[in-house]
Amino acid sequence: MSRVVITGMGCISPLGNDVPTMWASLLAGRHGIGPITRFDTTGMKTHLAAEVKDFDPELYQDKSDVRKTDLYAQYAMAAACQAMADSGLEGNIDPHRFGVYIGSGIGGISTSIRETEVMLTRGPNRISPFFVPMMIANMGSALVAIRFGAKGPNLPVVTACSTGTNAIGEAYRAIKVGAADAILAGGAEAAINPLAIGGFSNCMALATTDDPDRASIPFDKNRSGFVMGEGAGVVVVEDLEHAMRRSAPIYAEIIGYANTCDAFHMTAPQPDAEGSTAMIKLAFEDAGVSADDKLYINAHGTSTPLNDKIETMAIKQALGEMAYHVAISSTKSMTGHTLGAAGGIEAITSIKVLQSGKIVPTLGLTEPDEDCDLDYVPGQVREADVETALSISLGFGGHNAGILMRGLK
């Protein structure tokens, strides 16, 4: 079995359009939440989102290609290009041993909305010939493979909000058993539009406050729902020996991964947290290590009443008394919930925590919920001796995923 490492990172996020900018924002305790600017929210229940700002897709794609790709795929391409440049992998791998696992929870929903309007107002003959390839959720992964000539395994995972974590975890498994030498893995999402916002609002998932500072407040007693975010997080997952032969930068080693399903409800988590508890235990079993006080957990932490309570329960049931001695925080307090991109963005955050020993806070946590009684690092960055990091994602449909990482030893 091969050892598997991360050798490149790239992101587009509400906190900045590259890893250094996003990380600086996280350390500064800045959130990216504000009034929605993409459309008029008059009459809607939700008026806030965590939008990507100042994104220029033509830094990564030709103008003609931009016109033929949905925004989620543009985000995926940008993050993948950054990760490739960071890793120095381009031109240094057998294309048949190089794969792409970039998923999306929703895919090209904005394209679907636009072309539906064309059909209703101008007729079906005016629908774009690029509608289907722009809309389908595999196209981000396919376009990245075309861009870099990656002819190995290509598996664009779709597991709702667990997508990015599952993609990285499945890439880890493929490389571990020798199916590839390197895989670009992560997730991308661009769903800040009236249809998605309205749909999530009507199923009571989104925060309805108009105060950006109190909108995404995971584990706080006054949390009321998540804030829609967008972006992409992509990493280069690589065989350790392959990385060392080419003197690649090595940011972290993936040592464990697991995924389970609640098999319980379309949107609600299992009340006894059986599935998410099992996932955490299995990730540690896969790694062959136990939790200790040098563990950091990047929680799913959506700021919804049920998720935060059930996730807290899962961590306690999986780790026992040690749950009270590990530092936990939610990146979503600053990025909002980027859906399928969350796992990629949060894996990158976890790696930066491992590298720096600086634990990013859970912003806005001022009145802890009695049911959320763990150490959620409220408000301010904390310096700590961190040796391992667990990044957790939980998705609609009961999808539970976690990856365990550490610095290379």
Side-chain angles (χ1 to χ4, degrees):
M1 294 285 186
S2 297
R3 294 175 68 183
V4 182
V5 294
I6 303 292
T7 60
M9 301 186 289
C11 76
I12 301 296
S13 85
L15 298 179
N17 294 333
D18 54 51
V19 173
T21 305
M22 181 183 75
W23 179 241
S25 296
L26 288 167
L27 290 181
R30 290 193 295 268
H31 65 69
I33 300 165
I36 293 171
T37 65
R38 306 280 175 81
F39 57 90
D40 184 1
T41 61
T42 301
M44 301 188 74
K45 300 173 186 177
T46 297
H47 306 103
L48 300 177
E51 297 177 335
V52 166
K53 293 90 174 170
D54 303 320
F55 174 67
D56 182 1
E58 291 181 32
L59 294 174
Y60 308 97
Q61 296 174 275
D62 292 338
K63 183 180 291 187
S64 61
D65 291 330
V66 169
R67 288 197 297 267
K68 295 180 286 187
T69 52
D70 187 86
L71 184 58
Y72 96 89
Q74 294 170 18
Y75 289 162
M77 181 65 76
C81 287
Q82 291 176 20
M84 285 294 286
D86 187 34
S87 73
L89 184 62
E90 189 168 10
N92 292 305
I93 187 170
D94 177 350
H96 296 280
R97 300 282 299 167
F98 182 26
V100 183
Y101 286 19
I102 300 176
S104 176
I106 296 179
I109 185 171
S110 294
T111 293
S112 296
I113 293 169
R114 184 179 64 250
E115 295 305 315
T116 298
E117 291 173 347
V118 169
M119 182 185 70
L120 293 174
T121 58
R122 302 171 64 189
N125 291 335
R126 301 307 298 269
I127 295 171
S128 169
F130 297 104
F131 165 54
V132 172
M134 289 175 71
M135 173 267 297
I136 51 182
N138 71 302
M139 195 52 62
S141 195
L143 291 172
V144 169
I146 292 167
R147 165 66 178 79
F148 293 107
K151 299 182 178 181
N154 196 298
L155 187 69
V157 176
V158 179
T159 50
C161 308
S162 293
T163 292
T165 299
N166 279 134
I168 295 169
E170 294 302 326
Y172 153 77
R173 281 185 175 168
I175 293 169
K176 188 176 180 180
V177 300
D181 291 329
I183 297 175
L184 277 164
E189 208 76 84
I192 299 177
N193 55 59
L195 185 62
I197 294 290
F200 277 112
S201 293
N202 289 345
C203 73
M204 310 299 288
L206 296 185
T208 56
T209 178
D210 287 332
D211 182 356
D213 296 331
R214 299 299 298 162
S216 184
I217 50 173
F219 309 107
D220 192 276
K221 189 174 184 177
N222 299 301
R223 68 191 185 278
S224 62
F226 74 80
V227 173
M228 181 82 80
E230 61 177 349
V234 176
V235 296
V236 175
V237 186
E238 189 168 356
D239 174 87
L240 174 60
E241 291 187 3
H242 187 274
M244 292 180 69
R245 283 197 299 271
R246 65 182 192 86
S247 300
I250 296 175
Y251 296 121
E253 180 178 10
I254 304 176
I255 58 173
Y257 162 63
N259 78 89
T260 64
C261 185
D262 289 350
F264 171 73
H265 190 271
M266 290 173 65
T267 58
Q270 197 171 8
D272 63 2
E274 178 192 3
S276 46
T277 299
M279 176 272 294
I280 296 170
K281 288 182 176 179
L282 288 168
F284 278 97
E285 288 178 17
D286 186 49
V289 301
S290 300
D292 59 25
D293 60 3
K294 294 184 179 180
L295 169 69
Y296 163 67
I297 298 177
N298 190 288
H300 189 58
T302 59
S303 187
T304 56
L306 274 179
N307 175 90
D308 296 1
K309 176 183 176 180
I310 301 303
E311 186 173 14
T312 298
M313 185 187 300
I315 293 169
K316 290 193 285 189
Q317 290 175 173
L319 303 189
E321 185 62 29
M322 185 52 65
Y324 291 92
H325 302 283
V326 300
I328 307 166
S329 66
S330 171
T331 305
K332 293 180 182 69
S333 64
M334 290 177 268
T335 64
H337 190 353
T338 58
L339 308 181
I345 289 171
E346 289 159 16
I348 292 168
T349 300
S350 299
I351 292 167
K352 296 298 289 185
V353 169
L354 284 171
Q355 288 183 313
S356 67
K358 297 180 187 295
I359 299 174
V360 297
T362 302
L363 209 63
L365 175 51
T366 58
E367 188 177 354
D369 188 328
E370 294 86 348
D371 291 324
C372 301
D373 57 348
L374 300 178
D375 179 7
Y376 289 110
V377 192
Q380 294 183 336
V381 170
R382 180 187 303 169
E383 295 195 11
D385 184 8
V386 179
E387 292 187 353
T388 54
L390 173 67
S391 183
I392 294 173
S393 294
L394 313 172
F396 275 8
H399 297 287
N400 309 301
I403 52 173
L404 196 63
M405 298 172 285
R406 69 181 178 194
L408 186 65
K409 294 183 177 181

